[in-house]
Amino acid sequence: MSARLIDIENAGIVGAASAVGFLNGMSDVIAAADELAASVTKINRTSALLQVAVYVPASGNSGLDRIIGDRLVGALVGSGRYNAVERSSGFLAELGREQSYQRTGVVDDGQISRLGEQFGAQLVCVADITELFGETYVSVRLIDVESAEIVRSAQTSRPVASVEDILEIASVLGNVLIAPDMKTVEVESRKILEAEEERSRAEYMAAAGNVPLCAGADGAGLFFDEGDVSAFLKWVHAHVVYPQIAMDYGVQGRVLVRCVVCRDGSVKSVEILNKDRVSPVLALAVFRTVSSSPPKWTVPDDGMNRWIAFPVYFKQS
């Protein structure tokens, strides 16, 4: 069962939802309808939303095509960043008039892009479905109408024995399509990192007073007792988390971090030394981990604060 809310003015889908399950009586039907109504009416009418058309070429299994299409529409609209152009009427009718479609049953991305533009879409989501050797293979791509370039794509395959299997495929692909854009996240992470570094530095300066800062010849020596240095580094590496978006985009790197370990064992004035040469997403993850260190580290009893610098590596196997 699926439902969509269409804006009459621009024929855009501004709310969409679907539900699956066994209906054993009228009460189940009413419950399913209530669930859809609650989901589909969560409308975002912000004019800045991108308009996207969803196109699922016929695979020979109309039920599979419909479920994948509905779920992709639901994921895109539900992300709060898109309105979906109604996909089942004029778009497909116009597509059928394309000469190459009439001749071969397929169209290229350039033709899809032009059709999307005719229908006021800025993006077109195309889902290709193939059933082969007992598995269902689905690939999706998001096409920029203006440039006809693929801006995002994803693929997955698995045996399909139930509707739940189809929903899982659609969920995996939908999550990739609506994942945050890496460039945007990096810009935001850089701004946050710079602000938090400044705040960390200011807090240290305010608390340090006249306490001397011990530094080695390179300005960043290790000054704990050997055991405590090891314990601190082990704590950091055990608690730092590889950001999921960085893993999704294959971002790796070495983050060099420096901090002050105060005479009371607390960690302050955290700074990323190579932030201009490493992904700010990774740098922010390290900064926040080190900043959250518990104040339990032992330093020599000489009344001094101490620098420590060390690398943290992010590498995918």
Side-chain angles (χ1 to χ4, degrees):
M1 184 182 298
S2 65
R4 53 191 183 276
L5 196 63
I6 301 173
D7 189 317
I8 295 176
E9 184 177 348
N10 61 23
I13 300 175
V14 296
S18 58
V20 62
F22 294 102
L23 303 178
N24 296 317
M26 184 58 69
S27 60
D28 291 341
V29 175
I30 294 173
D34 287 343
E35 179 183 347
L36 290 175
S39 300
V40 80
T41 53
K42 295 177 181 177
I43 307 171
N44 187 335
R45 291 188 176 276
T46 304
S47 59
L49 296 183
L50 294 171
Q51 301 292 323
V52 59
V54 177
Y55 167 49
V56 183
S59 70
N61 186 331
S62 59
L64 178 61
D65 298 347
R66 180 60 183 266
I67 293 174
I68 294 292
D70 286 343
R71 283 285 166 151
L72 291 178
V73 169
L76 291 166
V77 174
S79 72
R81 300 200 301 274
Y82 305 96
N83 280 341
V85 175
E86 170 56 39
R87 68 184 180 86
S88 61
S89 53
F91 185 82
L92 297 181
E94 189 65 29
L95 179 65
R97 298 190 183 98
E98 287 283 329
Q99 290 185 359
S100 63
Y101 184 85
Q102 294 175 354
R103 184 174 62 256
T104 66
V106 297
V107 290
D108 61 32
D109 288 352
Q111 292 169 308
I112 291 172
S113 174
R114 289 194 299 274
L115 286 174
E117 187 173 17
Q118 290 179 29
F119 281 82
Q122 295 160 292
L123 299 163
V124 178
C125 175
V126 182
D128 290 309
I129 303 171
T130 303
E131 295 180 276
L132 190 66
F133 301 122
E135 290 205 0
T136 297
Y137 174 83
V138 182
S139 65
V140 296
R141 57 192 185 278
L142 204 57
I143 303 170
D144 185 306
V145 166
E146 183 176 353
S147 64
E149 294 180 349
I150 298 174
V151 296
R152 187 162 296 184
S153 64
Q155 308 81 33
T156 190
S157 65
R158 68 187 61 200
V160 172
S162 65
V163 172
E164 285 73 17
D165 293 333
I166 302 173
L167 298 180
E168 179 62 25
I169 289 175
S171 176
V172 169
L173 298 175
N175 287 340
V176 173
L177 291 180
I178 65 175
D181 178 76
M182 188 61 178
K183 290 183 179 179
T184 300
V185 174
E186 287 195 327
V187 170
E188 294 175 350
S189 296
R190 188 179 301 279
K191 292 179 180 178
I192 294 171
L193 177 63
E194 291 174 352
E196 293 195 4
E197 277 186 328
E198 182 61 32
R199 183 168 59 252
S200 179
R201 189 178 304 113
E203 290 175 352
Y204 168 70
M205 296 302 294
N210 295 322
V211 177
L213 179 62
C214 179
D218 61 355
L222 300 178
F223 293 101
F224 293 172
D225 295 334
E226 182 64 27
D228 287 321
V229 170
S230 177
F232 176 70
L233 298 183
K234 286 180 179 178
W235 184 92
V236 171
H237 285 90
H239 288 80
V240 70
V241 177
Y242 205 141
Q244 185 61 50
I245 188 170
M247 295 181 66
D248 292 342
Y249 280 86
V251 176
Q252 305 180 89
R254 169 181 174 269
V255 179
L256 183 59
V257 58
R258 182 174 68 177
C259 60
V260 174
V261 181
C262 298
R263 59 181 179 175
D264 63 358
S266 63
V267 176
K268 299 185 183 300
S269 193
V270 182
E271 179 184 8
I272 304 302
L273 298 179
N274 64 335
K275 54 179 167 285
D276 293 331
R277 301 186 302 278
V278 70
S279 167
V281 175
L282 302 182
L284 184 59
V286 173
F287 176 92
R288 286 181 165 172
T289 300
V290 175
S291 297
S292 68
S293 166
K296 67 178 185 179
W297 312 108
T298 302
V299 296
D301 187 18
D302 57 7
M304 300 185 72
N305 297 335
R306 286 168 163 76
W307 285 117
I308 179 172
F310 57 93
V312 177
Y313 294 89
F314 293 90
K315 186 175 182 180
Q316 294 182 340
S317 57

